[in-house]
């Protein structure tokens, strides 16, 4: 199981203190089969990397540029740069970035260069509320997958994060039955269209310590991408505990 903390645009150097608890928790549970990945803002990547050095916790960035190395791209950071600073993961295609103008074509370019760089890619897909109301969920998910993963050669390092846009930050989660079917739908596309033998699909959107047990009852779920509830160490640890115990 993957537990990925997406801190979004929150956190400062002080917030790193809360990592002590998470590090302690991961040491006690070193033998259990789960992965914890933290994706703090870029400004904290270096300090985070030092803090979690030699622990079971891994580091990810929240986005990056499509240019693999360097270039005249003010305000951007490349896959090689985040890799060099200690990231093993990167989130690509988050709906909050799509809302700011990232389209499937740009996301595909980013996935291409991140996979060249051997980063694990947390590729986010999900339908909006109006698309859900129009019964377009599956069409949207399929299009995002086909376009985002088009002509990607190395697909073994892709994790899909299914995050319905209407569920992010709203406290509303999908019906368990619907989610189960949608995850299987996603896995079938990955198997049939991309020949990925053992696809991994995570869920994201209002995951918390209260609803995670229910969500984790879905056997095809491979983990969670957690926003708000990942900013408090105790809450995040509770999410992990309730899933693995
Ligand atoms: P929330 O857990 O705050 O709903 O955010 C989910 C998310 O966007 C994670 O990437």
């Amino acid at each position: 199981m993957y537990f990925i903390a997406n801190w979004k645009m929150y956190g400062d150097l002080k917030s790193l203190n809360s990592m002590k608890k998470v590090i302690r928790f991961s040491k006690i549970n070193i033998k259990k089969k789960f992965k914890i990945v933290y994706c703090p803002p870029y400004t904290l990547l270096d300090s985070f990397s030092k803090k979690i050095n030699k622990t079971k916790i891994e580091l990810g960035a929240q986005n990056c540029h499509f240019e693999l190395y360097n270039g005249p791209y003010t305000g951007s950071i490349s896959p090689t740069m985040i890799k060099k600073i200690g990231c093993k993961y990167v989130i690509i295609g988050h709906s909050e970035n799509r809302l700011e103008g990232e389209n499937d074509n740009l996301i595909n370019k980013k996935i291409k260069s991140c996979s060249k760089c051997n980063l694990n890619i947390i590729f986010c897909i999900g339908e909006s509320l109006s698309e859900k109301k129009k019964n377009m969920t599956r069409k949207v998910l399929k299009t995002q997958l086909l376009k985002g993963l088009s002509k990607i050669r190395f697909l073994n390092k892709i994790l899909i994060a299914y995050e319905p846009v209407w569920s992010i930050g709203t406290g509303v989660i999908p019906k368990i039955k619907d989610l189960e079917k949608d995850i299987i739908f996603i896995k079938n596309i990955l198997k049939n269209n991309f020949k990925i033998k053992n696809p991994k699909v995570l869920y994201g959107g209002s995951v918390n310590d209260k609803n995670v047990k229910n969500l984790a009852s879905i056997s095809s779920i491979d983990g969670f991408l957690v926003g708000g509830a990942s900013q408090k160490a105790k809450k995040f640890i509770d999410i992990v505990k309730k899933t693995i115990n």
Side-chain angles (χ1 to χ4, degrees):
M1 286 297 264
Y2 288 85
F3 298 90
I4 303 182
N6 175 10
W7 273 14
K8 309 193 178 185
M9 201 170 74
Y10 296 95
D12 53 21
L13 280 173
K14 264 196 208 156
S15 11
L16 255 79
N17 291 333
S18 67
M19 288 308 293
K20 278 188 206 139
K21 275 189 199 152
V22 188
I23 293 171
R24 204 179 313 129
F25 171 78
S26 76
K27 275 189 185 148
I28 298 169
N29 291 283
I30 194 95
K31 287 198 181 134
K32 294 214 170 130
K33 269 200 171 174
F34 64 86
K35 272 185 187 290
I36 292 182
V37 181
Y38 267 81
C39 303
Y42 295 137
T43 47
L44 296 179
L45 286 176
D46 189 39
S47 321
F48 238 92
S49 176
K50 288 173 185 139
K51 188 108 188 165
I52 60 173
N53 188 23
K54 298 200 178 103
T55 72
K56 189 181 150 104
I57 300 163
E58 294 178 299
L59 191 63
Q62 293 175 18
N63 200 350
C64 67
H65 197 269
F66 65 78
E67 172 61 51
L68 189 51
Y69 301 105
N70 309 295
Y73 301 106
T74 305
S76 299
I77 174 165
S78 74
T80 317
M81 286 170 166
I82 57 171
K83 181 125 199 222
K84 274 193 185 160
I85 215 161
C87 291
K88 287 198 179 145
Y89 292 79
V90 61
I91 298 173
I92 299 288
H94 195 284
S95 62
E96 285 153 10
N97 302 131
R98 291 181 190 258
L99 275 174
E100 286 177 342
E102 288 198 10
N103 59 24
D104 292 317
N105 186 30
L106 176 62
I107 289 164
N108 176 250
K109 278 165 92 172
K110 292 188 177 195
I111 294 179
K112 256 183 210 149
S113 75
C114 289
S115 74
K116 277 185 196 147
C117 200
N118 213 19
L119 282 158
N120 293 290
I121 299 156
I122 303 152
F123 172 30
C124 300
I125 58 170
E127 80 286 4
S128 68
L129 183 60
S130 69
E131 287 162 342
K132 178 183 159 62
K133 281 184 179 161
K134 286 186 222 149
N135 268 327
M136 285 168 63
T137 299
R138 300 225 163 153
K139 189 170 179 269
V140 170
L141 298 180
K142 187 165 186 179
T143 306
Q144 289 177 342
L145 284 170
L146 295 184
K147 291 194 172 167
L149 297 178
S150 163
K151 297 187 184 143
I152 306 290
R153 275 212 281 155
F154 305 105
L155 291 156
N156 57 332
K157 291 203 142 190
I158 308 268
L159 302 167
I160 304 298
Y162 171 44
E163 299 204 304
V165 181
W166 49 271
S167 179
I168 296 176
T170 57
V172 184
I173 60 165
K175 291 194 183 98
I176 297 294
K177 264 193 191 159
D178 291 347
L179 183 56
E180 192 161 22
K181 285 186 199 146
D182 287 334
I183 288 178
I184 289 170
F185 172 77
I186 295 168
K187 286 198 171 179
N188 283 338
I189 294 177
L190 297 169
K191 282 182 196 161
N192 299 334
N193 294 62
F194 297 98
K195 310 291 168 227
I196 302 177
K197 280 195 193 122
N198 187 16
K200 300 269 183 253
V201 180
L202 323 182
Y203 168 76
S206 295
V207 176
N208 60 38
D209 49 333
K210 310 269 177 325
N211 60 23
V212 73
K213 192 113 205 163
N214 208 8
L215 288 166
S217 68
I218 300 173
S219 60
S220 48
I221 259 187
D222 299 296
F224 301 101
L225 179 54
V226 187
S230 73
Q231 282 157 34
K232 289 266 180 303
K234 188 183 174 312
K235 275 198 180 163
F236 191 58
I237 293 170
D238 278 349
I239 289 175
V240 183
K241 273 188 190 161
K242 289 197 175 159
T243 312
I244 61 167
N245 290 331

